[in-house]
Amino acid sequence: MSVLFGEYLTACQLCPRDCRVNRVNGERGYCGAGLVVQVARAALHAWEEPPISGVNGSGTVFFSHCSLGCIYCQNHELASGEAGREISAARLSDIFLELQAQGAHNVNLVTGTHYAPQIVDALVDARARGLVIPTVWNTSGYESRVCLDLLDGSIDIYLTDFKYEDSMLAQRYSHAADYPRVAERALADMVSQVGSYTLDDDTMMSRGVIVRHLLLPGHLQDSKRVVSWLFNTYGDSVCISLMNQYTPLRAFPDYPNLENAVTENDYTELIEFALDLGITNSFMQEEGTAEESFIPAFDLEGVEPTQATGEG
């Protein structure tokens, strides 16, 4: 076990839940993650923003478990830990290099907060063995300073959510009333680390921050507050990705608004609001994206070692 593992996992403070459980001794906190990394899929993915996915796809690694746990999560099987297989840090390092060999534009680390020490170890090893493509930290935005300090220098691109400006909504849907303030502070740290949104000569993102905001049905006004705060704080130095792909997957007796898709009128109004603010560095989704499947099969693709790489 790496010294890094022990330092961060004997009293885990990797996320703002601050559980302080001893994962080295088998304890599990809010996220449900243990000591060993659990991955559900590692493959090229075409559904990220254009400068992330490009032509070849983003080399996405989907980590099991989640420290936020939104009630409307569209990756519930992944977030709950029901999907995925435990692998070593050495195998994870191999996976990064395999994705690069497949032509991935980047290594896209999806919901990896609770495994940050193991991921950093694997990245250091992979860099020493020839990994050169950018690394993307794909996150809910609910990040602790402990985790972000650990990631500093290992991550080139932050692809982060900013879900709510209203703490009551954050508590209702994510059991995290502190989400807005945590996300604001975390975003400031991310921008400080990687700087402004930057594209290379092939119009692929090389450094910087994309902030995603998913419009939830019935909450247009909070979305406007999020967009306004983002632009007033960062201008066009970060890219704002406004998403309409919320898909109701089950009944919500206590929150019937979540049983509906986002209306075209609400999304159009949010886009017009953003444009009127003066936002030019942004991505917007076409009508009908909520009907498409952005959820990959968590079928362990790319997780098992091939005969060429051997076991990690």
Side-chain angles (χ1 to χ4, degrees):
M1 181 180 70
S2 165
V3 173
L4 190 62
F5 288 26
E7 178 184 350
Y8 287 94
L9 301 180
T10 52
C12 188
Q13 302 174 64
L14 288 172
C15 88
R17 303 287 185 187
D18 200 26
C19 296
R20 304 200 182 213
V21 296
N22 190 333
R23 290 167 58 187
V24 175
N25 287 348
E27 296 177 5
R28 296 179 184 245
Y30 186 95
C31 69
L35 176 64
V36 181
V37 172
Q38 187 175 331
V39 174
R41 181 181 175 87
L44 300 179
H45 187 57
W47 292 105
E48 308 290 27
E49 284 75 5
I52 300 291
S53 286
V55 175
N56 298 340
S58 178
T60 49
V61 183
F62 289 91
F63 295 93
S64 305
H65 298 288
C66 179
S67 60
L68 193 54
C70 305
I71 63 172
Y72 53 81
C73 179
Q74 296 177 59
N75 292 342
H76 176 74
E77 182 186 9
L78 183 71
S80 66
E82 296 170 19
R85 181 163 297 170
E86 291 186 345
I87 62 171
S88 67
R91 173 63 195 143
L92 186 60
S93 178
D94 286 343
I95 285 172
F96 298 158
L97 292 168
E98 289 165 11
L99 290 169
Q100 178 173 266
Q102 292 169 32
H105 294 291
N106 43 64
V107 172
N108 187 347
L109 306 158
V110 183
T111 318
T113 299
H114 38 289
Y115 298 122
Q118 298 96 316
I119 292 170
V120 169
D121 263 11
L123 285 172
V124 169
D125 180 73
R127 292 289 187 204
R129 296 193 292 138
L131 183 70
V132 296
I133 56 178
T135 50
V136 180
W137 193 251
N138 191 331
T139 169
S140 69
Y142 195 58
E143 297 284 8
S144 71
R145 181 149 283 160
V146 169
C147 182
L148 290 173
D149 285 348
L150 173 59
L151 296 174
D152 194 2
S154 294
I155 301 301
D156 301 300
I157 297 165
Y158 282 101
L159 181 56
T160 182
D161 293 344
F162 200 111
K163 295 179 180 293
Y164 323 98
E165 187 57 35
D166 185 332
S167 62
M168 292 180 64
L169 286 184
Q171 177 62 29
R172 184 184 307 163
Y173 295 149
S174 300
H175 310 292
D178 61 344
Y179 179 93
R181 305 294 80 79
V182 167
E184 288 177 3
R185 188 206 66 236
L187 182 55
D189 289 346
M190 294 172 189
V191 173
S192 176
Q193 285 185 20
V194 299
S196 298
Y197 178 84
T198 304
L199 302 180
D200 64 19
D201 292 341
D202 296 319
T203 69
M204 294 302 300
M205 194 170 176
S206 57
R207 284 187 73 81
V209 179
I210 294 178
V211 184
R212 287 172 163 172
H213 176 71
L214 176 67
L215 175 60
L216 293 175
H219 294 300
L220 174 61
Q221 295 310 310
D222 190 63
S223 290
K224 288 181 177 180
R225 287 192 288 271
V226 169
V227 171
S228 181
W229 181 85
L230 288 171
F231 186 65
N232 288 337
T233 306
Y234 294 103
D236 281 326
S237 64
V238 303
C239 180
I240 301 174
S241 181
L242 299 177
M243 305 169 75
N244 68 349
Q245 68 189 55
Y246 173 81
T247 304
L249 298 178
R250 61 183 180 85
F252 294 93
D254 294 331
Y255 309 112
N257 59 294
L258 294 182
E259 297 179 6
N260 303 306
V262 169
T263 68
E264 180 182 351
N265 286 344
D266 275 5
Y267 186 65
T268 298
E269 186 172 337
L270 181 61
I271 296 303
E272 291 176 349
F273 176 81
L275 294 175
D276 287 344
L277 282 176
I279 294 173
T280 59
N281 191 10
S282 65
F283 291 105
M284 302 164 189
Q285 292 185 315
E286 296 177 355
E287 181 183 353
T289 50
E291 300 172 4
E292 299 184 48
S293 176
F294 291 86
I295 306 171
F298 300 122
D299 54 5
L300 302 179
E301 180 179 352
V303 176
E304 294 296 303
T306 64
Q307 290 183 348
T309 60
E311 293 188 2

